[in-house]
Amino acid sequence: MADPAPHSPPPALEDFVVQPVRRPGGLPRRCLTIGRHLMGLVYGRLLASVRDRPERAKSGLAYRLEWLLAILLRPLFAASKLIPLPFPVQLRRRLEMLGPTYIKLGQVLSLRSDILPRPVTDELKNLLDRLPVVPFEAFLERVRNDLGKPVERVFDWIDPEPLGSASIAQTHRGTLKNGQAVILKVVKPGIRETLERDSKLLWLLARILQGFFPRYQPKRMIDEFVAYTRREVDLRLEADNAEIFAANFADLPDIVFPAIYRHASGANLLTMEYLSGERPDSLRARNLAEGERRRLIERGASAIIRMIYRDGFFHADLHPGNLLVLPGPKLGFIDLGMVGRFDDELRRTLLYYFYCLVMGDAENAARYLASTAKAGVGARPAAFRREVAEICRRWHRSAKFADFSLGQLILESVERGARHRLFFPVEMVLMTKALVTFEGVGHILEPEFDVVAVSQQPIQALLLQQLNPLRLVEAGLRSAPEIFDAMIKTPALVSEAMRLLEAQNRQPPENPIGGLHGALFGGFCLLSGVVLWVSDGPLWAALALAGLGFLVGLFARR
C-alpha cells in the first residue's frame, strides 16, 4: 500500500544511531559501573568546591581538609575527562553514559526545581531526547511477539524509518489492513529488565543518600521515579489513559485524543490513530486567522483546567511536541503515557487555590497552597504563607507571560516550600509544567495573551459546577453506607448513653465529675454532626446529631 498522507516528514534513518540489541548486564557488574560513576561525581563535586570557592573563603580547617583530600584522590580520577567540567554538566553526562533508565531519571529530576538547585535542573533539561534505535528487524520481532500472529495479518505497511526514539520506546508509522493510518509504539528490548535491575540499585542508593542529603529528599524522588517509569513501560496503561481522556472530553469535539486499536496492541506494543496536524509553534499554526487562534487558546485553557481541577487526571508530560493543531482547527493531545492524578480532596483544594489566584485573593491562595504540602522537621508554614502571598501580589501587578507567567508563579511558590521545610507531591510540579506549556503555546499564538482573562471564565464555571446541589447530593450518596451504619447504631448508643447518665445521677452530689460521661457523649454527638456537615453529608442528619449532642450535654449539666 502507498505511504499515508504526509505529516511532518520523519527523520532519515541515518540521523539515528542504530544500536544492536543486547541482554542487560548482571546486577554485580551494573553495581560496579554505577559505583564508579558515583565516586567520580563525588570527587568532581569536591574538586569544584575547592576550585570555585571565593578567595576570601580559602582559609580555615574545612577548606584545607577538602584541598588535601582532592590532592590525594587526584591520581584515581586523572584519566577522566569529566572531572574538570562544572558539577551539573558532569551529572548530566554521567546519567547519559549510564543509559536509558538514568536518562529518564534525569528528565524527571529536571522537573524538581522545587527541591534541587536551579543550575542542576536547568542542565538536566539538556539530556538526550533522541536515543539510539533498535534495528527494524528487532522492532518487527517485538511487534510479532505482542500480536501473537504474523505482522502481515494485522498491518498492511510499517515504515522502516523510525518516527522517534526515546529512552523507553520507539515509534514507527504504519497502516492497518483496513487502510487506517496509525502509529506503532514499541517498548525497546531489554528496557523492562534494565528498569527492574536498576530500580533495586536506585532503591539502595536513595536510602544511603537520604542520610547525607535529607534536604533534597532522594528517597522520595527515586520512589516517585520508579513508580512512574514502571507504569510507562506497560503500554496497556497508556492505552487506558487515552480512552479515559477521550471519555472525559466526549462532549468537546474540538479536543481530540488518538483512538486506540486494542486488537493490535499489548503490553509492549501500542497501536494508535495517526493524527495529521502541526505543532502549535509551527509557521502554519501561527498563520491561522486571529479568531481561530483565539478559539484554540480558549479551548486549550478549558481543557487544561478541566483535566486538572475537574477530573484530577491530566497530561503530565505536556510540551509543544505533544500538542497538535488539527484541521478545524482542533487541538490534539498525544503521548499519553505519563499522567498525573489528584485525589478528590487535593483536587478541590487546588481548585480553590487556582480560583483565588486568578481572582486576586493572595492570602487565601497562600493558605490553600500551604495545606497541600507535607511538613518536614522544622517546618515554617506561616513564613511560607507570607512569602507566597507576596509573590501572588507581585504577579497581579504584571500578569503578562513575558514578565511573569502563572505557571512560573506557581512554580516559584512551590520552590519556596523547600526553604521552609514544606514538601509537595510530584504531581504539583507536573501540573505546573502543564500550565507553563499552555501559557507558552498561548503566547506563541497570541503575543498579548492574558492568562487571567482566559482562565477566569472556565474556572468560575467549574467552581459553580462543584457547588451544584445535585453534585452535593451525589457526594452525599457516596457516603450513604457510612451514614446508614451510623443511623442504625444511634439507638444503641443513645440507650447506652442514657444508662450511663442514670448511673451518673445516682452518684453523690459532691462528685466533681458527675456529668462528665454525659458531657463527653453530648460533645461527641455535636462534633459528629459538624463533621458530617463539613464532609458534605445530608443536612438533616447533621442537624439531628448536633441537636442530640446539645440536648444530651444540657441534660448532663443538670
Side-chain angles (χ1 to χ4, degrees):
M1 183 174 176
D3 193 330
H7 175 35
S8 53
L13 187 57
E14 57 266 20
D15 292 341
F16 288 99
V17 176
V18 179
Q19 178 176 290
V21 177
R22 299 188 182 94
R23 289 189 61 187
L27 189 62
R29 182 176 179 180
R30 186 63 166 172
C31 188
L32 290 174
T33 302
I34 293 173
R36 176 168 54 85
H37 281 287
L38 182 61
M39 292 302 298
L41 195 62
V42 170
Y43 178 72
R45 183 68 184 90
L46 173 65
L47 191 63
S49 174
V50 173
R51 182 184 60 224
D52 301 336
R53 188 170 297 192
E55 288 296 329
R56 64 179 181 276
K58 290 184 177 180
S59 60
L61 181 60
Y63 170 75
R64 295 181 185 280
L65 289 176
E66 288 183 0
W67 179 84
L68 179 61
L69 189 59
I71 294 295
L72 293 176
L73 295 177
R74 179 177 294 174
L76 297 177
F77 301 97
S80 175
K81 298 179 180 179
L82 300 178
I83 295 300
L85 299 175
F87 175 76
V89 179
Q90 288 189 53
L91 175 60
R92 175 182 62 81
R93 292 283 300 276
R94 291 186 186 279
L95 290 174
E96 289 174 346
M97 294 168 68
L98 285 170
T101 303
Y102 290 86
I103 291 175
K104 187 68 179 178
L105 172 62
Q107 290 169 346
V108 172
L109 293 180
S110 71
L111 303 173
R112 298 313 306 256
S113 54
D114 60 317
I115 296 177
L116 296 175
R118 182 59 70 92
V120 171
T121 57
D122 287 346
E123 181 62 35
L124 291 180
K125 288 181 172 67
N126 298 320
L127 279 161
L128 293 173
D129 58 359
R130 216 170 106 160
L131 298 181
V133 300
V134 299
F136 186 57
E137 294 75 17
F139 180 89
L140 287 180
E141 183 180 356
R142 297 285 282 180
V143 175
R144 188 181 305 111
N145 291 340
D146 244 42
L147 292 175
K149 63 184 74 171
V151 177
E152 298 77 15
R153 290 177 58 182
V154 179
F155 296 97
D156 194 43
W157 170 82
I158 298 177
D159 192 347
E161 294 188 353
L163 193 62
S165 177
S167 55
I168 290 176
Q170 181 171 318
T171 56
H172 289 246
R173 292 179 58 190
T175 54
L176 294 172
K177 279 296 184 181
N178 62 5
Q180 173 66 51
V182 295
I183 297 291
L184 288 81
K185 182 175 182 178
V186 171
V187 176
K188 294 179 179 179
I191 287 295
R192 185 172 279 105
E193 295 81 0
T194 299
L195 174 63
E196 290 300 324
R197 178 199 62 192
D198 288 346
S199 295
K200 297 174 184 176
L201 297 175
L202 286 170
W203 184 90
L204 178 62
L205 178 62
R207 278 143 184 83
I208 295 173
L209 294 177
Q210 184 70 29
F212 293 96
F213 308 104
R215 176 183 176 183
Y216 299 124
Q217 300 285 296
K219 176 180 176 296
R220 178 179 178 179
M221 288 192 291
I222 293 298
D223 289 346
E224 289 172 345
F225 161 74
V226 171
Y228 268 96
T229 309
R230 279 178 172 161
R231 289 198 290 266
E232 277 196 84
V233 296
D234 188 345
L235 296 184
R236 292 171 297 189
L237 298 179
E238 182 171 346
D240 293 341
N241 296 340
E243 292 176 346
I244 292 171
F245 278 123
N248 289 345
F249 286 84
D251 59 324
L252 291 181
D254 289 345
I255 304 298
V256 179
F257 299 89
I260 303 299
Y261 301 99
R262 292 280 188 174
H263 71 283
S265 301
N268 299 308
L269 167 65
L270 177 61
T271 302
M272 55 192 143
E273 177 187 6
Y274 173 73
L275 299 179
S276 181
E278 302 289 336
R279 286 172 55 117
D281 53 0
S282 67
L283 182 61
R284 184 177 298 182
R286 291 199 299 267
N287 287 338
L288 289 172
E290 182 180 353
E292 293 179 327
R293 285 186 278 114
R294 184 69 183 178
R295 188 162 71 250
L296 273 177
I297 291 173
E298 291 174 351
R299 287 299 190 193
S302 297
I304 298 297
I305 289 173
R306 178 188 283 212
M307 283 181 190
I308 296 173
Y309 302 113
R310 190 198 75 168
D311 303 328
F313 184 83
F314 61 94
H315 197 311
D317 190 21
L318 205 58
H319 54 77
N322 287 342
L323 289 171
L324 291 175
V325 178
L326 306 173
K330 300 179 179 180
L331 189 62
F333 291 81
I334 59 175
D335 196 5
L336 307 169
M338 194 171 182
V339 297
R341 293 176 173 85
F342 292 140
D343 59 40
D344 285 346
E345 182 178 355
L346 181 56
R347 179 187 56 77
R348 282 195 301 270
T349 303
L350 290 175
L351 169 63
Y352 305 151
Y353 165 62
F354 192 81
Y355 176 79
C356 292
L357 275 184
V358 298
M359 299 306 292
D361 186 352
E363 284 75 15
N364 277 322
R367 180 170 60 86
Y368 283 124
L369 181 62
S371 69
T372 66
K374 181 179 180 181
V377 178
R380 300 183 298 273
F384 172 74
R385 289 195 297 269
R386 286 194 298 271
E387 282 196 30
V388 170
E390 180 53 38
I391 294 172
C392 295
R393 295 189 192 97
R394 176 158 50 95
W395 175 71
H396 273 281
R397 290 194 291 267
S398 59
K400 292 183 179 178
F401 182 87
D403 301 325
F404 197 46
S405 79
L406 179 60
Q408 290 170 335
L409 159 69
I410 299 175
L411 184 58
E412 182 174 337
S413 299
V414 170
E415 287 176 355
R416 297 294 177 93
R419 304 182 190 178
H420 298 282
R421 299 295 187 268
L422 295 171
F423 301 100
F424 294 88
V426 67
E427 285 82 6
M428 288 287 294
V429 183
L430 299 175
M431 175 197 76
T432 305
K433 182 182 178 184
L435 292 172
V436 168
T437 299
F438 150 63
E439 286 184 280
V441 170
H443 184 64
I444 290 170
L445 295 176
E446 185 176 319
E448 297 302 319
F449 169 59
D450 185 348
V451 65
V452 172
V454 173
S455 300
Q456 277 184 345
Q457 191 278 328
I459 199 68
Q460 287 175 347
L462 185 56
L463 189 65
L464 290 174
Q465 183 183 4
Q466 296 289 310
L467 299 176
N468 187 305
L470 292 178
R471 190 176 183 89
L472 295 177
V473 170
E474 290 177 1
L477 289 176
R478 285 199 295 268
S479 305
E482 290 83 1
I483 295 171
F484 290 147
D485 185 60
M487 291 174 62
I488 291 172
K489 294 178 179 178
T490 296
L493 290 174
V494 171
S495 176
E496 180 65 17
M498 296 304 295
R499 187 186 65 80
L500 290 172
L501 286 172
E502 291 176 359
Q504 198 66 37
N505 286 335
R506 288 195 293 268
Q507 297 293 326
E510 62 272 14
N511 187 353
I513 57 171
L516 180 60
H517 292 88
L520 286 175
F521 178 74
F524 170 77
C525 291
L526 184 61
L527 182 61
S528 299
V530 173
V531 169
L532 189 61
W533 167 248
V534 171
S535 61
D536 295 332
L539 178 61
W540 64 267
L543 291 175
L545 279 172
L548 177 64
F550 177 79
L551 292 175
V552 171
L554 184 64
F555 184 77
R557 288 172 60 89
R558 294 177 181 176

